[in-house]
């Protein structure tokens, strides 16, 4: 199955069904702030100060309440540094990227409030900030050569460009699972390596030498692709779909032909791709675990928020309420005996 993934990780749109998702995103974004600050400090040092126009790109920006969170913090960091050094604040060009299906109009409607807050906080000392939408997949070229100083992405790059090929024997699983065959793990790993390599190659052309790229994404803490912090959350969803098959609500063939286009890599896999591609130096890697949202209903809302477009496209939207009611029950049963954890990676890369 070869498809262009129809969404990147949604940062929340303010709807209650996205609240847990937005909360998880917010924690990850907060965790990345110190890494961002270090990267911005290093860019200014290497360039002997900020350029006249500081260019920032956010990949997989979505259209929720967290969309401009990172931008706001980057501007704050730069303003504070310029104030400390008694130097002129640069102009800013901010490029918000996501697929063409993203609701950029919602982002644009939020800009007057964003500019108003910026003016209130920084007054006349603020640097002019120009925000642009850049629709398109980040697995394609987005910018001219040697153009961007800082790339950022939060919870997007673990989504693959397509479902891996050769998963026909992954029947009644929807992701890597304990019952999956070896070829399934290999297919997912190869697709990740292909996509992540392409991401690095493309961004290396678009970034200035010495530019930085900060990526936050879902990963796993162990080399084992069936580790608890990797696949259990999807195994429970597969179990819910199988329940619906048994009740005659979903066709078995539909479940057997559905797989999630995501890969949660181990740190060593990320390092290997970066080293082999060769355009970037890996400045830092930070891993951290987050508990599943509690109670179980919030975990169900979280997974529904990030997977509904794919599930509805494949099965039809009519199954959603019943499916996630069953999923909620399986999650509650799981959390009664085990602690649900998701593992996350923040990597900082420097263009050679």
């Amino acid at each position: 199955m070869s498809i262009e993934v129809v969404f990147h990780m949604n940062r929340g749109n303010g709807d209650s069904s996205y609240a847990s998702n937005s909360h998880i995103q917010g924690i990850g974004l907060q965790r990345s702030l110190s890494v961002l600050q270090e990267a911005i400090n290093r860019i200014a040092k290497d360039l002997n100060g900020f350029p006249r126009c500081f260019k920032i790109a956010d990949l997989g920006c979505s259209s929720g309440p967290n969309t401009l969170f990172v931008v706001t913090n980057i501007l704050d960091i730069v303003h504070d540094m310029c104030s400390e050094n008694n130097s002129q604040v640069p102009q800013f060009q901010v490029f918000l990227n996501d697929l063409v299906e993203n609701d950029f109009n919602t982002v644009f409607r939020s800009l007057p409030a964003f500019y108003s807050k910026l003016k209130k906080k920084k007054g006349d000392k603020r640097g002019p900030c120009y925000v642009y939408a850049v629709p398109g997949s980040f697995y394609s070229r987005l910018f001219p050569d040697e153009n961007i100083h800082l790339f950022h992405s939060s919870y997007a790059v673990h989504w693959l460009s397509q479902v891996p090929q050769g998963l026909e024997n992954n029947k009644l699983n929807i992701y890597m699972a304990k019952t999956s065959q070896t070829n399934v793990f290999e297919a997912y790993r190869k697709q990740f390596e292909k996509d992540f390599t392409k991401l690095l190659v493309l961004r290396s052309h678009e970034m200035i030498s010495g530019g930085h790229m900060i990526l936050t994404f879902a990963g796993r803490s162990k080399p084992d692709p069936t580790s608890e912090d990797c696949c259990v959350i999807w195994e429970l969803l597969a179990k819910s779909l199988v329940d619906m098959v048994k009740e005659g609500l979903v066709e078995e063939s539909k479940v057997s032909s559905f797989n999630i286009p995501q890969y949660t890599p181990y740190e060593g896999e990320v390092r290997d791709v970066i080293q082999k591609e060769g355009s970037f130096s890996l400045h830092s890697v930070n891993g951290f675990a987050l508990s599943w949202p509690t109670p179980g209903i919030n975990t169900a809302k979280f997974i529904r928020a990030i997977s509904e477009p794919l599930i509805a496209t494949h099965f039809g939207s009519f199954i959603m309420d019943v499916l996630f009611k069953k999923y909620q029950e399986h999650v509650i049963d799981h959390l009664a005996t085990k602690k649900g954890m998701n593992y996350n990676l923040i990597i900082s890369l420097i263009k050679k």
Side-chain angles (χ1 to χ4, degrees), residues 62-325:
S62 192
S63 58
N66 290 325
T67 296
L68 294 171
F69 176 86
V70 170
V71 175
T72 300
N73 280 277
I74 291 173
L75 267 58
D76 285 346
I77 292 168
V78 174
H79 276 89
D80 290 346
M81 289 178 60
C82 291
S83 178
E84 290 172 7
N85 299 327
N86 197 27
S87 58
Q88 184 175 352
V89 178
Q91 300 178 56
F92 299 92
Q93 280 187 306
V94 177
F95 301 97
L96 301 178
N97 157 256
D98 213 319
L99 296 175
V100 295
E101 294 84 1
N102 188 52
D103 185 6
F104 286 106
N105 284 333
T106 294
V107 179
F108 294 149
R109 283 193 290 269
S110 71
L111 288 179
F114 167 75
Y115 287 131
S116 177
K117 289 180 182 178
L118 184 63
K119 183 177 181 180
K120 186 175 181 180
K121 287 171 65 176
K122 305 302 179 184
D124 294 333
K125 294 182 179 180
R126 73 190 189 283
C129 179
Y130 306 97
V131 179
Y132 307 84
V134 183
S137 170
F138 50 61
Y139 294 122
S140 64
R141 277 297 295 262
L142 298 169
F143 303 100
D145 290 346
E146 300 179 358
N147 188 54
I148 303 297
H149 297 96
L150 177 65
F151 275 107
H152 173 270
S153 181
S154 181
Y155 293 103
V157 301
H158 55 265
W159 292 105
L160 302 172
S161 64
Q162 64 177 54
V163 175
Q165 299 291 311
L167 303 183
E168 291 79 11
N169 64 341
N170 201 33
K171 297 184 183 300
L172 300 184
N173 293 316
I174 63 171
Y175 185 55
M176 300 183 298
K178 292 180 177 63
T179 57
S180 296
Q181 300 298 310
T182 303
N183 71 289
V184 173
F185 304 124
E186 186 70 7
Y188 268 103
R189 182 185 61 79
K190 285 184 176 180
Q191 187 65 49
F192 165 74
E193 289 180 354
K194 178 181 178 181
D195 285 345
F196 194 49
T197 298
K198 188 172 186 179
L199 176 78
L200 296 177
V201 170
L202 295 170
R203 302 294 83 80
S204 71
H205 291 307
E206 299 165 349
M207 184 182 294
I208 66 162
S209 179
H212 281 243
M213 181 158 60
I214 311 300
L215 306 175
T216 302
F217 51 93
R220 64 179 190 270
S221 61
K222 301 175 182 178
D224 180 8
T226 66
S227 60
E228 288 284 314
D229 56 13
C230 170
C231 62
V232 170
I233 204 163
W234 295 115
E235 287 181 346
L236 296 178
L237 187 57
K239 191 174 182 179
S240 305
L241 284 165
V242 171
D243 288 346
M244 296 184 72
V245 170
K246 292 176 180 178
E247 295 173 14
L249 300 175
V250 171
E251 295 178 12
E252 182 175 328
S253 61
K254 279 282 192 179
V255 179
S256 294
S257 61
F258 179 71
N259 289 280
I260 296 291
Q262 173 188 299
Y263 188 74
T264 45
Y266 177 60
E267 178 184 323
E269 295 174 321
V270 176
R271 288 180 178 273
D272 286 347
V273 174
I274 294 167
Q275 183 176 4
K276 289 176 182 176
E277 192 279 326
S279 297
F280 292 87
S281 298
L282 180 58
H283 181 62
S284 66
V285 182
N286 297 281
F288 62 96
L290 290 176
S291 299
W292 292 2
T294 54
I297 187 174
N298 286 334
T299 296
K301 287 180 178 179
F302 167 59
I303 294 300
R304 180 169 182 168
I306 65 176
S307 64
E308 184 163 5
L310 287 172
I311 294 172
T313 298
H314 187 81
F315 295 96
S317 59
F318 66 92
I319 78 163
M320 301 304 298
D321 290 342
V322 174
L323 173 61
F324 280 96
K325 178 63 175 176

